[in-house]
Amino acid sequence: MGRHRSEPMGIARLALVGVAVLAVLALIGVGAVALVGTLDTGDAVPPGAAEPSAVPDRTADGTTDGTTAATVPEPSRTATSPPTLFVECRADRCPLFVRVSGGDVLEDRELDRGQEAVYSQPSLDVVLNDASTVYVEVNGTARPPGEPGERQSFTARRAKDG
């Protein structure tokens, strides 16, 4: 009968397997935390977008409380340089998609009635899923409203100063 002895690498192999299992569990944990952080955006405002703000409810023709449109001025912005794009939601929900032309997505969500979004990037690609639900200004100039249900896409470019 031969002599029984343990292999010199037996314990080291078990230790390596244990370390590998711990590494896999750590990677799964880090991935789960990153995924939850990505999905939990809530109503956070993307970088480059202005914080939506509430304004008095307006009807589809832009009036408040039954007054005429001529007596209700549009919300004023800076007198020196208007933003590249201003969007105000005038319906219960206003789907909006805005991105820097050829680059990062700034907004891809629904605004609530009265919420505004202001962007000052030089060039923006804009998609309005229902152009009749929003009031839009490009460089301080109002865009004509769309027909109900009309999808509009356009590029807003900052006006050159001077």
Side-chain angles (χ1 to χ4, degrees), residues 99-104 122-125 155-157:
R99 75 174 184 158
V100 175
S101 294
D104 295 334
S123 182
L124 300 163
D125 294 330
T155 300
R157 290 187 176 81

Side-chain angles (χ1 to χ4, degrees), residues 147-159:
E147 296 294 320
E150 178 185 359
R151 182 179 190 268
Q152 288 184 359
S153 60
F154 59 93
T155 300
R157 290 187 176 81
R158 181 180 296 149

Side-chain angles (χ1 to χ4, degrees), residues 62-90:
T63 62
T64 59
D65 301 327
T67 59
T68 63
T71 61
V72 179
E74 290 302 323
S76 62
R77 259 78 60 208
T78 60
T80 57
S81 176
T84 307
L85 178 68
F86 170 81
V87 180
E88 177 188 354
C89 179
R90 293 192 171 167

Side-chain angles (χ1 to χ4, degrees), residues 10 20 26 28-29 51 69 72-73 79 81 88 91-92 97 101 117 121-122 132 137 148:
I28 290 173
E51 181 70 34
V72 179
S81 176
E88 177 188 354
D92 290 335
F97 178 84
S101 294
Q121 288 77 6
S132 68
E137 287 183 8

